[in-house]
Amino acid sequence: MVNLRKGNPILRCVRLVLFILHGKIIYMAIVAPSLLAADFLRLERECKMLDDSEADWFHLDVMDGRFVPNISYGPMIIEFIRKTTRKPCDVHLMILEPEKFAEEFKKAGADHVTVHIEACPNLHRNIQQIKSLGMQAGVAINPHTPVTSLIDVLQDIDIVCLMSVNPGYGAQKFIPHSLSKISELRKLIDNWNLPVLIEVDGGVTLENAKDIVAAGADVLVAGNTVFKSKDPRATISQLRAIQTAKSL
Ligand code: DX5
Ligand code: ZN
């Protein structure tokens, strides 16, 4: 069964469906570099580099020092980043009570807002709020959270952000068990033919990206792999060239 993924129809055609061959659709990975690993003293230059590159989305990590043991940046910085690009701004909220800030992130220019299942006792309400503000809704799950905990919201969301490290820091090692979680989630989504994207976040490298995509990921978030490489643009292109085939 082919799951034609959601999103801008033109981008979907150009980016997701490379070509149809021998009864298979070849999907290219969506690449979402995480600005957390960027040089913030040169933020404008880093954003322009991403904008000129083949990166599909800007992944923006917001941390509150409460849900995760680290503080990053908030809507004010995102507002500046928004001015540098028309690419989708994919905002990953690692914060408690995200409902207090959803509107502010919308105003700052977020296109997608992802909240953590572990931070949201009223998750369904959070999803409705994000959608009512005209943004795509994502739900992130930590490494200890089973994929099955998403069953009752999968039909309401656009993105699952499957954390392959414990949230809070960049440059951590990919947790190998994440691969079986990706496959399990892929099966759930495909069995129900849902237009939900699987985004994998944490420890993605040029070495493991092929396995991650083969397991069923649609979106690769990459911070250090992109920004600490010699040629970030080329690294983005290499990640984006990773493909997966699905039977018709
Ligand atoms: C971790 C963040 C990630 C992080 C990824 O809490 O959600 O997006 O920036 O960084 P790398 O790719 O370096 O693991
Ligand atoms: Zn993230």
Side-chain angles (χ1 to χ4, degrees):
M1 179 82 65
V2 175
N3 175 12
L4 285 174
R5 318 276 164 76
K6 229 178 178 176
N8 177 317
I10 299 166
L11 287 183
R12 200 172 62 202
C13 290
V14 175
R15 294 192 167 135
L16 286 181
V17 184
L18 183 61
F19 56 89
I20 299 177
L21 187 68
H22 300 307
K24 290 197 165 170
I25 292 186
I26 312 291
Y27 291 93
M28 290 175 82
I30 291 172
V31 177
S34 165
L35 268 295
L36 193 65
D39 179 349
F40 271 66
L41 208 53
R42 298 181 172 81
L43 189 55
E44 186 178 14
R45 204 175 73 182
E46 300 277 57
C47 289
K48 286 196 168 138
M49 179 280 290
L50 283 192
D51 194 48
D52 289 343
S53 77
E54 290 190 272
D56 297 281
W57 302 349
F58 281 36
H59 183 83
L60 305 170
D61 289 304
V62 177
M63 303 177 186
D64 65 354
R66 294 170 71 215
F67 177 63
V68 289
N70 195 9
I71 296 176
S72 57
Y73 53 82
M76 189 188 85
I77 298 289
I78 292 177
E79 208 177 317
F80 283 111
I81 293 173
R82 172 80 282 172
K83 290 180 186 149
T84 68
T85 187
R86 295 179 70 182
K87 293 185 182 184
C89 283
D90 178 50
V91 176
H92 177 191
L93 296 184
M94 286 160 273
I95 65 173
L96 297 177
E97 302 180 304
E99 59 279 1
K100 288 189 178 165
F101 300 97
E103 213 171 322
E104 224 178 304
F105 283 106
K106 168 68 184 175
K107 281 190 197 137
D111 297 286
H112 318 152
V113 163
T114 294
V115 295
H116 267 264
I117 196 167
E118 303 85 2
C120 298
N122 297 296
L123 181 63
H124 189 264
R125 186 176 288 150
N126 290 88
I127 295 165
Q128 297 309 316
Q129 181 197 27
I130 294 164
K131 297 190 96 157
S132 72
L133 289 167
M135 299 181 286
Q136 292 205 6
V139 173
I141 57 169
N142 277 345
H144 74 275
T145 303
V147 157
T148 46
S149 61
L150 291 162
I151 282 176
D152 288 312
V153 290
L154 259 191
Q155 50 279 76
D156 301 312
I157 62 179
D158 304 287
I159 301 160
V160 172
C161 177
L162 197 146
M163 292 306 299
S164 39
V165 296
N166 287 295
Y169 301 98
Q172 299 182 77
K173 265 211 155 92
F174 183 86
I175 297 171
H177 175 62
S178 314
L179 284 179
S180 55
K181 287 180 76 179
I182 299 166
S183 310
E184 191 188 348
L185 181 58
R186 179 83 271 151
K187 275 188 209 132
L188 270 181
I189 289 173
D190 286 354
N191 283 346
W192 294 346
N193 199 24
L194 295 171
V196 181
L197 295 173
I198 301 177
E199 176 177 51
V200 176
D201 188 3
V204 173
T205 64
L206 284 172
E207 289 70 42
N208 63 20
K210 208 172 174 10
D211 291 342
I212 294 169
V213 170
D218 303 293
V219 186
L220 298 172
V221 173
N224 280 264
T225 290
V226 166
F227 286 98
K228 305 295 184 237
S229 75
K230 274 199 184 129
D231 186 345
R233 252 178 257 236
T235 305
I236 291 166
S237 302
Q238 278 173 275
L239 286 170
R240 210 163 163 268
I242 294 166
Q243 299 164 6
T244 183
K246 296 192 116 255
S247 299
L248 282 169

